[in-house]
Amino acid sequence: MSVSEGHSQVGAEMDGALAPKACRMCPVRADSFCAELGPAELARLEAMRSEIAIDPPRLLVQEGDPAVGAYNVTSGVLRLVKLLSDGRRQIIGFLFPGSFFGFAAKGRHQVSVEAVTPARLCRYHLERLVALAGEIPALEGRFLRIAAEELEDARAQMVLLGRKTARERLASFLLWMSRRAERHGLPPSPVELPMSRSDIADYLGLTIETVSRTLTQLGRDGVIDFLSTTRIALADRAALEALDAGEDARH
Amino acid sequence: MSVSEGHSQVGAEMDGALAPKACRMCPVRADSFCAELGPAELARLEAMRSEIAIDPPRLLVQEGDPAVGAYNVTSGVLRLVKLLSDGRRQIIGFLFPGSFFGFAAKGRHQVSVEAVTPARLCRYHLERLVALAGEIPALEGRFLRIAAEELEDARAQMVLLGRKTARERLASFLLWMSRRAERHGLPPSPVELPMSRSDIADYLGLTIETVSRTLTQLGRDGVIDFLSTTRIALADRAALEALDAGEDARH
DNA sequence: CGACACCTTGACCAACGTCAAATCCGGTGG
DNA sequence: CCACCGGATTTGACGTTGGTCAAGGTGTCG
């Protein structure tokens, strides 16, 4: 298992039949970097775009690969993964529809990207996209804003990983998923969890067992309700928010 | 205690006597975002620049402040801090000479910035700096690169905080300081630690006691040598690198 | 209906945190 | 130059959270 872009590891190329109008009709454009572009610019972007599909457990990108592609998620969920050499795993973040991925500080991707659910993405040639950004200041500004937002998320996650208890981590996670749903016009509760307990554990710096036990405990305490394993109603949002803020390590 | 920019919380304004040539003679320019600029552009930047000094334990910026300033460190060390509401503290990173600070995703700084040692910084009005970046593609590109590098650092730190043992965290930290020194033309060993044990603990997601005990243990094992509390020789770099990579949780 | 993957639960354990005391070290004043 | 002071650091004894190991459940898809 291994290897990278443009090979069988990656999902099949889709036919470009819809390409000319694909962007204009794209359901996630408002949430994506390409929202920044006018019609003429969008046409230029479309010309350098291809579409790919990727199903679990496929890798889109592997840690260490040369950074040749840049991607925008149109549907599905993916995870960003880093491994230690003995196999310990940390999930750095998730990609949802509208998310962008592609910048790499030193010419190589420093994370692997894997499908959590079947997903579709627009792919761009990174250098060409960077060149386009150099010509369109609004686009470069948008990328800068995306980077700043990701940095903010990463910093919040550092607090979670460095200082929060298991209960607080789960509360923060559930609220984060809830807020995300709300931002996309969905109800804030119940929350739908497309990723496995194992993914949640590796995202929160815990084990599967601790995630499971802690969720059970939150359920017993009436803070959440299980509609199913993957659908959770936030029964006591105030309690979750107190936990999220770290109001008291004892709860 | 509190509050923010432009007030007494911040160090005194320095006189601009050297200003016209200050940038050209600046010892950290090669490491800073302004390295990107030609003479004419540099003059424009200088015109919007002021210089400040800040001594511990002063705050340069407080979490939640509106983001009006952007800063470049010319000397000294600062720390980026986030707090939970019950007082638990996570240090998100350190700023060294040449480091840039200022982007905020939603108009407000999401971290506090505090002096670790007496420090000097160039200060810019954030909006004007952003406007300048909009006019100078190379500058905007540099900012994007800075953001990408910070993101990479943050992601590496997420692995550390989520998955590494105390021993591995200290090894990673010491190597990181060593590599940083080396990049700036200093010897990779001994490492000089300008920050307190408490800062190290809050950066690594540990307690002071665990930091102290773990360093003592690394010393007993011959991996490091204490020249003083704040100067540490890396006696067995290979051992540190094995720990850093997470080759085996048992060591 | 059965197999398999995923999830939950239980018993036990160890790494790291907490609480407390001793020691070190730099700065100050005699 | 030396004694003293106070904060930082180290060390020690002990407790707790979350990890490990090991069974059971549960649900989903042939």
Side-chain angles (χ1 to χ4, degrees):
Chain A
M1 282 299 104
S2 69
V3 201
S4 56
E5 316 186 351
H7 299 94
S8 59
Q9 198 55 247
V10 141
E13 273 325 287
M14 303 256 124
D15 185 76
L18 295 175
K21 303 209 164 168
C23 285
R24 240 166 307 161
M25 314 189 54
C26 175
V28 302
R29 186 148 80 88
D31 300 321
S32 302
F33 74 92
C34 35
E36 219 58 55
L37 301 174
E41 297 158 345
L42 200 55
R44 295 185 60 192
L45 185 68
E46 263 186 63
M48 57 172 79
R49 168 181 158 280
S50 62
E51 194 177 348
I52 60 174
I54 174 172
D55 293 328
R58 264 206 185 133
L59 294 167
L60 175 68
V61 159
Q62 179 149 90
E63 191 172 349
D65 279 354
V68 304
Y71 305 88
N72 205 54
V73 181
T74 54
S75 74
V77 179
L78 302 94
R79 59 178 175 248
L80 309 183
V81 175
K82 280 175 84 82
L83 293 174
L84 293 178
S85 40
D86 71 350
R88 277 172 284 169
R89 188 175 84 139
Q90 179 68 39
I91 292 183
I92 294 310
F94 293 99
L95 300 177
F96 295 101
S99 298
F100 174 81
F101 174 81
F103 295 129
K106 205 40 216 136
R108 294 186 173 269
H109 292 300
Q110 76 273 27
V111 298
S112 299
V113 181
E114 308 169 0
V116 169
T117 69
R120 286 161 160 263
L121 304 92
C122 298
R123 164 199 266 157
Y124 305 94
H125 186 71
L126 180 56
E127 281 182 16
R128 271 191 270 168
L129 188 61
V130 167
L132 187 67
E135 294 175 46
I136 305 173
L139 190 56
E140 186 128 55
R142 175 76 176 222
F143 283 136
L144 195 50
R145 202 158 65 73
I146 288 172
E149 277 164 14
E150 278 192 48
L151 195 54
E152 180 163 345
D153 287 351
R155 286 170 168 175
Q157 194 72 353
M158 285 168 69
V159 177
L160 181 150
L161 293 170
R163 290 298 180 219
K164 287 187 182 174
T165 64
R167 195 176 168 91
E168 290 166 341
R169 292 181 200 205
L170 266 301
S172 296
F173 176 69
L174 292 171
L175 277 178
W176 174 68
M177 289 295 287
S178 171
R179 291 179 185 132
R180 204 201 130 270
E182 210 168 7
R183 271 201 311 278
H184 290 262
L186 301 168
S189 173
V191 155
E192 182 73 40
L193 302 179
M195 64 291 285
S196 68
R197 295 292 189 263
S198 168
D199 285 342
I200 297 172
D202 285 343
Y203 182 55
L204 300 179
L206 299 170
T207 59
I208 305 179
E209 293 94 327
T210 298
V211 168
S212 182
R213 272 190 265 268
T214 305
L215 286 175
T216 301
Q217 187 196 336
L218 287 170
R220 267 202 304 269
D221 296 347
V223 178
I224 60 176
D225 270 334
F226 287 89
L227 308 187
S228 79
T229 307
T230 60
R231 282 172 66 80
I232 297 182
L234 309 192
D236 185 350
R237 194 166 243 270
L240 288 170
E241 269 158 8
L243 285 166
D244 179 33
E247 289 185 6
D248 188 340
R250 289 189 304 281
H251 294 123
Chain B
M1 277 300 106
S2 70
V3 201
S4 56
E5 315 185 351
H7 301 94
S8 59
Q9 196 57 246
V10 141
E13 279 314 295
M14 308 252 125
D15 184 77
L18 294 176
K21 303 207 163 168
C23 286
R24 239 166 307 161
M25 313 187 56
C26 175
V28 301
R29 186 149 80 88
D31 301 320
S32 303
F33 74 91
C34 37
E36 221 56 56
L37 302 173
E41 299 158 342
L42 200 54
R44 293 186 61 191
L45 185 69
E46 263 186 61
M48 57 172 80
R49 168 182 159 279
S50 62
E51 195 176 348
I52 60 176
I54 174 169
D55 293 329
R58 264 206 186 133
L59 293 167
L60 174 68
V61 158
Q62 178 149 90
E63 191 172 348
D65 279 355
V68 302
Y71 306 88
N72 206 53
V73 181
T74 54
S75 73
V77 179
L78 302 95
R79 59 178 176 249
L80 308 184
V81 175
K82 280 176 88 79
L83 293 175
L84 293 178
S85 41
D86 71 350
R88 278 171 285 167
R89 189 175 81 139
Q90 179 68 40
I91 293 183
I92 296 307
F94 293 99
L95 299 177
F96 296 101
S99 297
F100 174 81
F101 174 81
F103 295 130
K106 203 44 214 131
R108 295 185 173 271
H109 291 300
Q110 74 272 29
V111 298
S112 299
V113 182
E114 308 169 359
V116 169
T117 69
R120 285 159 160 265
L121 305 91
C122 299
R123 164 200 267 155
Y124 306 94
H125 185 72
L126 181 56
E127 281 182 15
R128 270 193 271 169
L129 189 60
V130 167
L132 188 67
E135 294 177 44
I136 304 173
L139 190 55
E140 186 128 54
R142 175 75 175 222
F143 283 135
L144 196 51
R145 202 159 64 74
I146 288 172
E149 278 165 12
E150 279 192 47
L151 196 54
E152 180 162 346
D153 287 352
R155 287 170 166 175
Q157 194 71 355
M158 286 169 68
V159 177
L160 182 150
L161 293 169
R163 291 298 180 218
K164 288 187 182 175
T165 65
R167 196 175 166 93
E168 289 166 341
R169 294 181 199 206
L170 266 300
S172 295
F173 176 69
L174 292 171
L175 276 179
W176 175 68
M177 290 294 287
S178 171
R179 290 180 185 133
R180 203 201 128 271
E182 210 168 7
R183 271 201 310 278
H184 290 260
L186 300 167
S189 172
V191 156
E192 182 73 41
L193 303 178
M195 64 293 285
S196 68
R197 294 292 189 262
S198 168
D199 285 342
I200 297 172
D202 286 341
Y203 182 55
L204 300 179
L206 300 170
T207 59
I208 307 179
E209 293 94 326
T210 299
V211 169
S212 183
R213 273 190 262 267
T214 306
L215 286 174
T216 302
Q217 187 196 336
L218 287 169
R220 267 203 303 271
D221 296 347
V223 177
I224 60 176
D225 269 335
F226 286 90
L227 308 185
S228 79
T229 306
T230 60
R231 283 172 63 81
I232 297 182
L234 309 191
D236 184 350
R237 194 168 242 271
L240 289 170
E241 269 159 6
L243 285 167
D244 180 32
E247 289 186 5
D248 188 341
R250 289 188 304 280
H251 291 126

